[in-house]
Amino acid sequence: MRKPEQLAWVNMRREMSGLWVAQRHEDRFTCGIPDVSFVLPGGVGGWIELKAGDRFKVSPEQIQWMLLRARYGQCCILAAWDGRVWHASRVGEHNFDRLRVSDKCTDISELGMSGSPAHVILALANGSEIAPSSVK
């Protein structure tokens, strides 16, 4: 039986088929590396930390890894799937304080954007907190 995070990846990969090139990462030796690296047409690329469920934990290593790269301009996205809809936020200075506390679960409602993977990933990767109306 697949774990919820594996099901989330299957959903995202299926819904984003043809819109990106992505690779799932399973690194047990380096703390903090996000679950997925991706590149979109035009060369925009980045990382996605996948979570599943209405509440989830983000480790200090995950936040530090993403925040360091975000400071250098790389796109790092925290994306959670509740089984129906994706909720996501681009990691950066503006939301670091809220995400920093890892001893408590983050509520999925704290992530800024909701919708399909195409809706949230394409918009956030292109630097917008508002998804383009042509992508649903």
Side-chain angles (χ1 to χ4, degrees):
M1 188 154 143
R2 291 187 170 178
K3 295 178 183 178
E5 192 174 290
Q6 291 170 322
L7 293 172
W9 168 238
V10 168
N11 173 271
M12 181 177 280
R13 188 179 62 207
R14 183 184 64 240
E15 299 241 354
M16 291 291 291
S17 178
L19 299 174
W20 69 352
V21 174
Q23 180 174 344
R24 173 97 181 190
H25 299 274
E26 301 283 341
D27 188 334
R28 296 181 182 154
F29 303 106
T30 307
C31 294
I33 292 180
D35 300 306
V36 178
S37 62
F38 70 92
V39 65
L40 301 172
V44 174
W47 296 85
I48 302 170
E49 177 59 39
L50 296 175
K51 300 295 181 184
D54 292 336
R55 295 176 61 75
F56 52 87
K57 288 189 178 186
V58 183
S59 75
E61 293 86 5
Q62 290 171 325
I63 289 298
Q64 289 299 330
W65 197 100
M66 291 187 287
L67 187 61
L68 176 62
R69 280 137 187 96
R71 286 181 181 148
Y72 282 86
Q74 193 163 36
C75 176
C76 296
I77 297 171
L78 177 60
W81 188 54
D82 67 8
R84 299 178 325 275
V85 176
W86 283 91
H87 306 268
S89 186
R90 191 165 172 159
V91 175
E93 295 291 341
H94 66 283
N95 61 5
F96 177 64
D97 289 338
R98 184 180 70 222
L99 298 173
R100 171 184 346 220
V101 182
S102 64
D103 57 333
K104 298 180 181 174
C105 289
T106 299
D107 190 276
I108 201 166
S109 65
E110 292 182 36
L111 298 176
M113 186 178 286
S114 300
S116 71
H119 175 85
V120 297
I121 302 303
L122 294 176
L124 292 171
N126 286 299
S128 176
E129 293 290 333
I130 302 171
S133 60
S134 61
V135 179
K136 296 289 181 202

